[in-house]
Amino acid sequence: MQSDNAVRFPSNCASNPKQMKNGEIYRGLLLTAEDSMNMTMSDVVRTARNGQVSKIPSVYLRGSSVRFIALPELLKSAPVFKKVATLKKKAEMERQAAKSGAKRKRE
């Protein structure tokens, strides 16, 4: 079952590591990822904090437990990330303008 909120990743980031907050690392084929970063993976190799390695046929990772996902360098120039950077700059400028406007009203 695939979520309506699925995020599409290119196939070459499928085996990149996903580190959990508890220190475990999961490496495998990324099948689905949702906006909340819940993800389903198959053919997974799990590395525990103590270094013990185990193979798991499939796993569902809860997004709130994911510390980070390593993405390939190829995505640095992806249009979606450029759009996010532009939106972030715009939001920061609006926030600064609102702060400076609020200070002037108090004076």
Side-chain angles (χ1 to χ4, degrees), residues 1-103:
M1 183 171 144
Q2 203 168 10
S3 170
D4 292 338
N5 297 331
V7 177
R8 305 280 182 232
F9 287 110
S11 59
N12 61 349
C13 78
S15 65
N16 288 13
K18 287 80 176 161
Q19 183 173 8
M20 307 303 286
K21 289 181 180 178
N22 64 6
E24 294 177 341
I25 298 174
Y26 291 83
R27 190 181 291 265
L29 179 61
L30 181 63
L31 299 176
T32 62
E34 300 172 6
D35 292 344
S36 60
M37 294 314 297
N38 294 336
M39 60 189 77
T40 308
M41 299 172 63
S42 66
D43 300 325
V44 178
V45 176
R46 175 187 160 266
T47 307
R49 289 175 60 177
N50 64 5
Q52 181 182 6
V53 177
S54 56
K55 292 186 179 184
I56 306 170
S58 65
V59 68
Y60 179 84
L61 303 177
R62 185 179 169 103
S64 63
S65 298
V66 176
R67 176 171 289 149
F68 74 86
I69 300 172
L71 297 174
E73 293 291 319
L74 163 74
L75 290 179
K76 277 188 174 181
S77 59
V80 68
F81 290 116
K82 289 180 183 178
K83 183 177 179 181
V84 169
T86 302
L87 290 172
K88 181 180 176 184
K89 286 180 186 177
K90 183 178 176 183
E92 287 174 358
M93 289 173 52
E94 289 174 356
R95 207 174 302 125
Q96 288 176 350
K99 282 183 181 181
S100 63
K103 288 180 182 178

